[in-house]
């Protein structure tokens, strides 16, 4: 028999609620569904133009009833029919008990900040919908002396979206995950087949003993998996297991008869892509070391220096544990089982955690010693990790630009080409970055590196791997950038992924830029035509972004460490992206200035906080009944936002009271704004470094990938993103934990591209496959010509019998030995033509053209630098000026230029 929920006694309500809370999995599922139902109802109204959106609790309960009040639902079987509640359920009815639990759940979600009551206790609004309302009504506030009613609106309209967050299933208790031993067992079974032949380099070094080395490697990897990974890493995702098995087997077995192929790893941000290719890479390096193969074995390339540094630390931690297992943690770079180096221009600033203590490892004295030493205890010295560009470490981590240079210089010659065997693995991580010209350049660098590998040992089959979280045409793109016949995809299937929760998007369309006059003083009481005291201002797209930036931080839902089980860090930071270095500095400076001027305080809910003199417009006395503060009475608007029909507050209705700002530590304190550019993080508006002491960090694409900060719960994008895959990476920086519910705000301006993305916002919040395709023009003839010239230098650097050092540095003078370079071009012309033809798949006539261009250039170096004034050959003149390098040299050059200009 069904009874109204109000008839349920308090003891029964408490018992029902406690029983529900004990079923943690059911509680989380129902709670997420209720929040989603409210958010979806609000989203529909907001996107229809009703920014005072609310969801009637009756409608939310109907959704709850349809989903969870069924015979087979977990809520019914585990809660209503549990031993503790079955009697109450039979006596009062399922729906009555369910309503009592539902009402308690709503109270809990309101108290926890997920929801808020709107105008009465019969309808609710989600926190993200309330924040969206603030953005929709955003005005340009500059001082507390200006009547907000005359300040310009900055937002034309807003939209809201939500989408599910998916991650590969992991965890030893999950059926879809894989134990560490499963791929190891399959590897051992495969190499046990007598018909399986070893890779050429293993056959060349150890012959039939290669199987023993694979077994030894798998024993080490088994210990590594069992003993040395973080406790939460207790299994492999199914796609990681496939990648470990197949990539390692392809590397250690004969692939000479197979078609040329590459491999691509794709999974959601934070889904373990790095481990999918890194574990088999580390395993191969161990096997090759055991086989006596010295030198570089893997080159891992990244698009950004910051990402290189991040991944260097990550790989170092794994290398350290493997060396520890092998009992050789303190060995030198020549003796350690595994070695690692980093190569880019800013590597002197790289630091690592000391494996012996809690100290930090740094490079000693500006490259004087290219290894690492602990700043806490200098006896803690690590030599298997290095910043020496010439060191032929097992694993080299670098950028594509640095790899381009290493192909041509003496450091690359020492690091890659002085050993008998070339690198086996070439990895391109975050390949979604390689669009437009960047992709063309990387494709050509790859072709050049592959040709150098073939020159070193044409019998060896390389293992080519690409990785990205956001790429749809993965196999086609990968085969094109690597120039292979096909590509193998490693990615989770639909059955191998979990839906972890939701993420939210708010799209803000700024008003068009305009000049505004704001009345001040007594002019606010006069008709516009009689204003005699005004403050001129300009409302721009950037003005909108500034106000939204600090509004986002102060009004988003935050969490403290300990607020929920397993939460050990605050969730209270924002990462913002713009697409120019200049905009980073300007936006950061303006937002920091707004914080210092306390503009966010003008929207304080003073009546609720029991304060004065923050929000100049808050009708505090009215809403506190004009009571004395000593009685500590609640404001009328404290438990729910003011009802426009009963206790109307025009300040709240106009968006000038940010009602959700309650937490004095997380919401009401000034935020610290930092900017990140050129590898440095500094206080916005100054050069002062801030380290990790920031609340909102504004950056360019530099932190688009590889920047994983546990406290980031919000991200924003100013103006239209350059491409959808890049945007997906950016919003993926927020909410890295499974239980997080991150928010991304996109502020779009007045350009046609911005308008297009606002009206097609689903391309960003729910992109289709076509929007995640990466375009690549790998055969662009203009880019290829540049790389064909560079490839000539590659040939000299890689080939035996040519003194590359003499070519580039000359004999006793700065610059190359031009005569020797000309002779080498002539003597090796046929081989260079073949080299270029094989590298770029071009015919002889096209391969000859860059050689002729280089010859013409070299002839020009022999001409007089300023005929009639200084007949020195250009290169001799250049060498002399570099040697002198003083004021007189510059004055002489200026005089020559002046004389030449006078003759024109």
């Amino acid at each position: 028999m069904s009874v109204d929920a109000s008839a349920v006694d308090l003891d029964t309500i408490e018992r029902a609620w406690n029983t529900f809370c004990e079923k943690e999995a059911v509680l989380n599922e129902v709670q997420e569904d209720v929040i989603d139902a409210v958010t979806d109802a609000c989203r529909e109204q907001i996107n229809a133009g009703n920014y005072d959106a609310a969801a009637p609790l009756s409608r939310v309960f109907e959704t709850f009833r349809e989903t969870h009040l069924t015979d087979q639902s977990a809520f019914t079987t585990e809660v209503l029919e549990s031993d503790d509640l079955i009697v109450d359920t039979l006596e009062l009815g399922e729906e009555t008990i369910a309503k009592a639990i539902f009402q308690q759940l709503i109270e809990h979600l309101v108290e926890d900040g997920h929801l808020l009551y709107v105008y009465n206790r019969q309808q609710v609004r989600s926190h993200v919908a309330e924040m969206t309302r603030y953005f929709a009504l955003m005005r340009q506030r500059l001082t507390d002396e200006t009547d907000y009613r005359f300040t310009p609106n900055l937002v034309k309209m807003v939209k809201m979206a939500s989408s599910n967050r998916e991650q590969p299933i992991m965890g030893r208790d999950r059926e879809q995950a894989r134990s560490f031993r499963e791929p190891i067992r399959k590897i051992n079974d495969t190499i046990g087949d007598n018909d399986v032949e070893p890779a050429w380099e293993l056959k060349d070094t150890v012959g039939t003993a290669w199987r023993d080395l694979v077994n030894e490697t798998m024993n080490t990897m088994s210990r590594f998996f069992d003993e040395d990974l973080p406790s939460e890493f207790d299994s492999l995702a199914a796609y990681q297991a496939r990648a470990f098995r197949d990539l390692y087997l392809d590397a250690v077995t004969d692939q000479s008869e197979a078609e040329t192929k590459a491999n691509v790893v794709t999974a959601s941000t934070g889904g373990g892509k790095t481990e999918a290719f890194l574990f088999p890479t580390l395993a191969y390096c161990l096997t090759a070391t055991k086989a006596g193969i010295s030198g570089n074995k893997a080159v891992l390339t990244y698009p950004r220096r910051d990402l290189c540094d991040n991944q260097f630390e990550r790989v170092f931690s794994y290398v350290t544990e493997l060396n520890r297992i092998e009992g050789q943690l303190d060995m030198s770079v020549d003796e350690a089982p595994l070695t690692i180096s980093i190569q880019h221009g800013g590597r002197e600033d790289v630091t690592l955690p000391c494996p012996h203590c809690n100290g930090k490892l740094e490079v000693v004295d500006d490259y004087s010693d290219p290894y690492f030493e602990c700043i806490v205890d200098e006896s803690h010295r690590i030599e298997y990790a290095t910043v020496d560009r010439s060191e032929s470490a097992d694993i080299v981590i670098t950028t594509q630009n640095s790899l381009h240079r290493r192909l041509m210089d003496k450091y690359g010659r020492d690091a890659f080409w002085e050993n008998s065997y070339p690198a086996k693995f070439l990895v391109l991580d975050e390949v979604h970055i390689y669009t437009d010209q960047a992709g063309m350049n990387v494709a050509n660098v790859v072709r050049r590196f592959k040709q150098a590998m073939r020159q070193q040992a044409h019998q060896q089959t390389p293992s080519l791997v690409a990785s990205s979280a956001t790429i749809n045409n993965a196999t086609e793109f990968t085969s094109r950038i690597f120039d292979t016949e096909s590509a193998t995809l490693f990615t989770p299937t639909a059955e191998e992924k979990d839906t972890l929760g939701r993420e939210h998007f708010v799209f803000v369309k700024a008003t068009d830029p305009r000049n505004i006059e704001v009345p001040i003083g007594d002019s606010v009481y006069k008709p516009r035509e009689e204003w005699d005291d005004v403050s001129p201002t300009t409302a721009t797209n950037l003005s909108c972004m500034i106000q939204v930036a600090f509004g986002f931080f102060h009004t988003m839902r935050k969490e403290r460490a300990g607020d929920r089980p397993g939460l050990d860090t605050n969730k209270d930071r924002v990462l913002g992206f713009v697409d120019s270095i200049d905009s980073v500095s300007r936006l950061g400076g303006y937002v920091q200035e707004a914080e210092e001027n306390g503009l966010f305080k003008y929207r304080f809910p003073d009546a609720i906080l029991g304060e004065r003199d923050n929000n100049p417009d808050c009708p505090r006395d009215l809403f506190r009944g004009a009571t004395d503060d000593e009685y500590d009475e609640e404001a009328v608007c404290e438990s729910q936002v003011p009802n426009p029909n009963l206790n109307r507050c025009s300040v709240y209705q106009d968006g000038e009271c940010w009602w959700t700002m309650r937490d004095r530590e997380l919401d009401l304190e000034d935020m610290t704004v930092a900017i990140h550019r050129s590898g440095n993080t500094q206080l916005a508006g100054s050069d002062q470094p801030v380290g990790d002491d920031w609340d909102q960090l504004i950056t360019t694409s530099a932190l688009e990938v590889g920047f994983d900060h546990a406290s980031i719960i919000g991200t924003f994008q100013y103006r239209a993103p350059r491409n959808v895959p890049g945007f997906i990476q950016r919003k993926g920086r927020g909410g890295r934990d499974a239980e997080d519910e991150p928010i991304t705000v996109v502020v779009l301006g007045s350009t046609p591209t911005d308008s297009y993305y606002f009206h097609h916002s689903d391309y960003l919040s729910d992109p289709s496959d076509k929007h995640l395709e990466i375009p690549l023009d790998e055969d662009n003839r203009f880019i290829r010509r540049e790389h064909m010239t560079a490839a000539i230098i590659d040939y000299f650097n890689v080939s035996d019998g040519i003194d590359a050092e003499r070519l580039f540095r000359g004999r006793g003078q700065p610059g190359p030995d031009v005569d020797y370079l000309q002779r080498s071009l002539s003597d090796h012309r046929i081989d260079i033509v073949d080299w270029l033809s094989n590298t770029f798949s071009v015919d002889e006539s096209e391969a000859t053209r860059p050689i002729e261009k280089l010859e013409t250039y070299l002839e020009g170096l022999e001409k007089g630098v300023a005929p009639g004034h200084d007949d020195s050959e250009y290169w001799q003149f250049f060498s002399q000026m570099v040697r002198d390098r003083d004021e007189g040299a510059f004055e002489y050059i200026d005089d020559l230029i002046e004389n030449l200009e006078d003759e024109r």
Side-chain angles (χ1 to χ4, degrees):
M1 182 175 67
S2 177
V3 181
D4 188 86
S6 62
V8 182
D9 63 83
L10 294 179
D11 288 342
T12 302
I13 292 174
E14 183 178 2
R15 183 166 54 252
W17 176 247
N18 289 338
T19 301
F20 180 49
C21 291
E22 289 170 2
K23 308 297 182 181
E24 187 175 340
V26 181
L27 169 66
N28 290 337
E29 182 183 1
V30 174
Q31 179 172 282
E32 288 175 6
D33 286 348
V34 168
I35 296 172
D36 292 348
V38 174
T39 301
D40 289 344
C42 293
R43 172 180 51 79
E44 291 174 6
Q45 297 170 54
I46 287 171
N47 292 350
N50 175 21
Y51 301 139
D52 278 321
L57 284 177
S58 58
R59 174 179 168 182
V60 179
F61 181 75
E62 284 304 312
T63 302
F64 163 79
R65 185 214 308 264
E66 293 170 3
T67 305
H68 297 288
L69 205 55
T70 62
D71 291 343
Q72 302 302 318
S73 71
F75 178 78
T76 297
T77 59
E78 297 183 35
V79 179
L80 298 181
E81 296 177 357
S82 66
D83 292 343
D84 291 332
L85 279 185
I86 186 62
V87 174
D88 297 316
T89 300
L90 291 173
E91 179 181 344
L92 300 174
E94 289 183 349
E95 186 162 324
T96 299
I97 300 298
K99 280 185 177 179
I101 293 174
F102 177 79
Q103 289 173 351
Q104 291 297 111
L105 177 61
I106 295 298
E107 292 289 339
H108 167 72
L109 293 175
V110 169
E111 183 179 349
D112 211 29
H114 288 284
L115 306 178
L116 59 150
Y117 286 116
V118 181
Y119 307 146
N120 54 53
R121 299 177 71 84
Q122 300 303 312
Q123 51 188 352
V124 289
R125 179 182 296 154
S126 68
H127 193 115
V128 66
E130 175 75 356
M131 186 180 70
T132 302
R133 178 182 175 276
Y134 302 151
F135 294 164
L137 301 173
M138 189 70 73
R139 295 171 180 266
Q140 182 166 336
R141 299 294 298 274
L142 300 177
T143 73
D144 61 354
E145 298 176 356
T146 304
D147 191 323
Y148 79 81
R149 291 170 297 178
F150 294 94
T151 58
N153 291 307
L154 296 174
V155 176
K156 185 178 291 186
M157 62 185 85
V158 298
K159 293 169 72 174
M160 195 177 132
S162 300
S163 64
N164 291 332
R165 302 172 67 213
E166 293 185 331
Q167 287 282 32
I169 295 174
M170 299 180 70
R172 64 178 58 184
D173 58 336
R174 301 298 301 276
E175 180 182 351
Q176 296 88 342
R178 299 291 181 268
S179 70
F180 294 120
R181 297 191 181 279
E182 181 174 323
I184 291 176
R185 184 171 58 251
K186 291 182 177 179
I187 289 170
N188 286 330
D189 289 345
T190 299
I191 66 161
D193 186 342
N194 290 330
D195 293 333
V196 175
E197 292 292 322
W200 169 80
E201 66 275 15
L202 295 179
K203 186 175 183 178
D204 192 50
T205 51
V206 295
T208 58
W210 73 284
R211 288 185 173 85
D212 296 334
L213 302 185
V214 171
N215 285 324
E216 289 179 21
T217 300
M218 290 301 102
N219 288 336
T220 298
M221 295 303 296
S222 182
R223 284 188 57 190
F224 169 70
F225 290 145
D226 290 342
E227 302 171 8
D228 297 302
L229 291 179
S231 58
E232 64 272 14
F233 205 155
D234 62 359
S235 71
L236 294 172
Y239 86 98
Q240 291 175 319
R242 290 192 295 271
F244 179 72
R245 177 195 67 205
D246 293 352
L247 290 177
Y248 179 74
L249 283 173
D250 282 353
V252 298
T253 60
D254 181 22
Q255 302 295 315
S256 59
E257 299 300 320
E259 65 176 3
T260 61
K261 72 167 186 176
N263 304 276
V264 56
V265 178
T266 69
S268 55
T269 301
K273 299 179 303 297
T274 296
E275 283 72 21
F277 67 75
L278 184 58
F279 287 165
T281 301
L282 291 168
Y284 172 81
C285 291
L286 272 176
T287 304
T289 298
K290 292 174 183 293
I293 296 174
S294 60
N296 176 245
K297 302 169 183 66
V299 179
L300 313 184
T301 69
Y302 298 89
R304 308 268 191 268
R305 286 184 180 182
D306 290 326
L307 186 53
C308 273
D309 297 347
N310 176 279
Q311 295 303 303
F312 182 60
E313 181 176 338
R314 188 175 190 170
V315 179
F316 171 77
S317 67
Y318 291 143
V319 166
T320 295
E321 296 310 319
L322 288 166
N323 283 344
R324 195 193 304 273
I325 291 171
E326 293 287 304
Q328 301 184 62
L329 184 60
D330 297 317
M331 295 296 102
S332 71
V333 72
D334 296 321
E335 300 169 317
L338 290 178
T339 58
I340 179 175
S341 76
I342 186 168
Q343 297 191 12
H344 65 64
R347 64 199 184 284
E348 73 275 8
D349 298 324
V350 172
T351 61
L352 295 168
C354 180
H356 299 290
C357 67
N358 292 324
K360 182 169 64 174
L361 298 171
E362 290 184 344
V363 180
V364 180
D365 294 335
D366 240 3
Y367 298 141
S368 62
D369 188 336
Y371 306 110
F372 288 86
E373 189 175 279
C374 182
I375 61 174
V376 174
D377 186 340
E378 62 182 22
S379 68
H380 296 166
R381 179 182 172 91
I382 297 297
E383 295 192 6
Y384 57 82
T386 178
V387 296
D388 187 350
R389 289 175 292 181
S390 298
E391 188 60 63
S392 187
D394 294 312
I395 300 171
V396 170
I397 293 178
T398 187
T399 64
Q400 284 78 19
N401 287 337
S402 293
L403 185 61
H404 161 68
R405 290 191 290 272
R406 293 299 85 80
L407 279 164
M408 299 184 290
D409 65 19
K410 66 172 185 175
Y411 306 112
R413 185 183 181 97
D414 292 340
F416 299 124
W417 316 123
E418 292 294 338
N419 298 293
S420 301
Y421 304 96
K424 181 76 172 186
F425 277 83
L426 175 61
V427 177
L428 305 179
D429 200 2
E430 306 295 356
V431 291
H432 76 277
I433 296 290
Y434 304 131
T435 60
D436 304 322
Q437 188 169 332
M440 303 173 203
N441 279 305
V442 171
N444 281 280
V445 170
V446 166
R447 282 153 176 73
R448 290 164 51 202
F449 195 79
K450 285 175 60 182
Q451 176 63 20
M453 293 165 76
R454 284 192 293 266
Q455 173 75 8
Q456 189 78 352
H458 69 274
Q459 307 95 324
Q460 181 170 305
T461 305
S463 294
L464 310 171
V465 184
S467 171
S468 179
T470 47
I471 180 172
N472 179 55
N473 55 332
T475 55
E476 179 256 345
F477 177 86
T478 301
S479 62
R480 288 170 60 191
I481 202 166
F482 279 119
D483 192 25
T484 59
E485 296 174 287
S486 65
T488 299
L489 176 64
F490 298 99
T491 193
T493 64
E495 296 75 22
E496 296 168 353
K497 291 185 286 189
D498 252 344
T499 298
L500 301 181
R502 295 182 111 191
E503 57 186 341
H504 305 290
F505 303 84
V506 181
F507 298 94
V508 178
K509 183 69 169 68
T511 55
D512 294 333
R514 63 204 187 280
N515 295 320
I516 301 290
E517 288 187 337
V518 179
I520 55 178
D522 291 339
S523 290
V524 300
Y525 305 110
K526 300 177 182 178
R528 179 181 294 270
E529 60 272 14
E530 296 180 15
W531 288 353
D532 51 18
D533 194 1
V534 297
S535 174
T537 186
T538 301
T540 65
N541 294 163
L542 185 62
S543 304
C544 179
M545 183 68 256
I546 294 166
Q547 300 278 330
V548 168
F550 68 75
F552 185 18
F553 172 79
H554 289 289
T555 64
M556 70 180 186
R557 182 176 178 274
K558 307 175 186 71
E559 293 181 284
R560 280 190 176 88
D563 278 356
R564 51 181 162 85
L567 183 61
D568 55 7
T569 184
N570 285 2
K571 298 289 182 178
D572 60 351
R573 302 201 194 193
V574 174
L575 179 64
F577 290 95
V578 297
D579 283 312
S580 79
I581 293 178
D582 176 62
S583 295
V584 167
S585 300
R586 287 198 298 139
L587 176 59
Y590 287 140
V591 177
Q592 182 63 44
E593 182 181 7
E595 284 296 292
E596 293 171 354
N597 292 336
L599 298 191
F600 70 99
K601 296 180 181 179
Y602 301 165
R603 279 86 165 204
F604 268 19
D606 275 1
I608 298 171
L609 300 173
E611 296 188 359
R612 298 179 185 273
D613 302 325
N614 289 309
N615 188 330
D617 304 295
C618 177
R620 178 183 181 280
D621 293 336
L622 170 66
F623 279 92
R624 293 187 67 84
T627 59
D628 195 293
D629 288 341
E630 69 178 274
Y631 294 105
D632 195 30
E633 294 185 12
E634 283 191 353
V636 177
C637 58
E638 185 156 347
S639 60
Q640 56 198 42
V641 297
N643 189 318
N645 299 313
L646 299 178
N647 57 335
R648 180 177 178 80
C649 175
S650 59
V651 178
Y652 175 79
Q653 293 301 128
D654 293 341
E656 290 302 308
C657 171
W658 291 347
W659 189 84
T660 55
M661 282 202 299
R662 305 291 188 90
D663 192 301
R664 294 188 179 276
E665 179 183 342
L666 298 182
D667 296 336
L668 304 180
E669 292 293 324
D670 297 0
M671 69 170 170
T672 298
V673 184
I675 62 172
H676 180 92
R677 59 180 185 176
S678 304
N680 299 311
T681 301
Q682 59 198 55
L683 182 68
S686 78
D687 295 327
Q688 177 184 339
V690 294
D692 193 47
D693 186 19
W694 53 268
D695 299 301
Q696 186 171 99
L697 178 62
I698 302 174
T699 183
T700 62
S701 59
L703 300 185
E704 180 178 301
V705 290
F707 182 67
D708 302 331
H709 197 298
S711 291
I712 296 174
I713 196 64
T715 57
F716 71 74
Q717 166 76 38
Y718 177 47
R719 311 301 291 267
R722 290 180 176 174
N723 58 67
V724 176
F727 173 79
I728 300 301
Q729 289 283 350
R730 293 179 180 190
K731 60 96 175 173
R733 298 306 104 201
R736 303 285 289 184
D737 293 343
E739 295 80 9
D740 292 344
E741 199 161 301
I743 301 172
T744 297
V745 177
V746 183
V747 176
L748 297 164
S750 305
T751 67
T753 303
D754 281 17
S755 297
Y756 177 84
Y757 269 110
F758 184 81
H759 292 292
H760 297 85
S761 56
D762 57 305
Y763 293 177
L764 300 178
S765 60
D766 186 24
S768 64
D769 289 347
K770 70 177 182 179
H771 299 122
L772 296 177
E773 293 182 358
I774 309 293
L776 179 66
D777 181 13
E778 71 274 21
D779 293 323
N780 182 283
R781 65 182 186 276
F782 302 106
I783 300 297
R784 185 168 62 193
R785 285 173 186 169
E786 295 178 7
H787 283 275
M788 290 179 78
T789 302
I792 297 173
I793 312 302
D794 299 349
Y795 171 83
F796 291 138
N797 204 36
V798 174
S799 299
D800 294 329
I802 299 175
D803 187 349
E805 183 75 8
R806 178 180 173 187
L807 281 177
F808 306 140
R809 293 190 173 270
R811 285 184 160 178
Q813 62 180 11
D817 186 329
V818 177
D819 292 336
Y820 183 57
L821 181 54
Q822 287 177 318
R823 289 198 305 274
S824 298
L825 267 178
S826 176
D827 294 345
H828 296 270
R829 187 183 182 91
I830 295 175
D831 291 337
I832 294 173
V833 169
D834 288 341
W835 178 275
L836 296 178
S837 297
N838 292 329
T839 302
F840 300 101
S841 301
V842 297
D843 59 27
E844 182 178 338
S845 62
E846 188 170 352
T848 302
R849 192 174 298 119
I851 300 174
E852 294 173 344
K853 293 284 187 182
L854 183 56
E855 288 173 335
T856 301
Y857 170 75
L858 293 175
E859 290 171 2
L861 297 181
E862 298 175 338
K863 295 180 179 178
V865 66
H869 300 281
D870 189 328
D871 293 322
S872 303
E873 291 184 0
Y874 173 81
W875 206 254
Q876 291 177 340
F877 174 84
F878 169 80
S879 298
Q880 185 62 49
M881 292 299 106
V882 172
R883 273 198 304 272
D884 292 346
R885 212 180 279 182
D886 57 16
E887 192 106 1
F890 290 113
E891 290 178 359
Y892 182 67
I893 293 173
D894 289 339
D895 290 342
L896 279 180
I897 293 173
E898 185 176 340
N899 290 332
L900 292 171
E901 287 177 345
D902 290 342
E903 291 181 358
R904 292 182 177 177

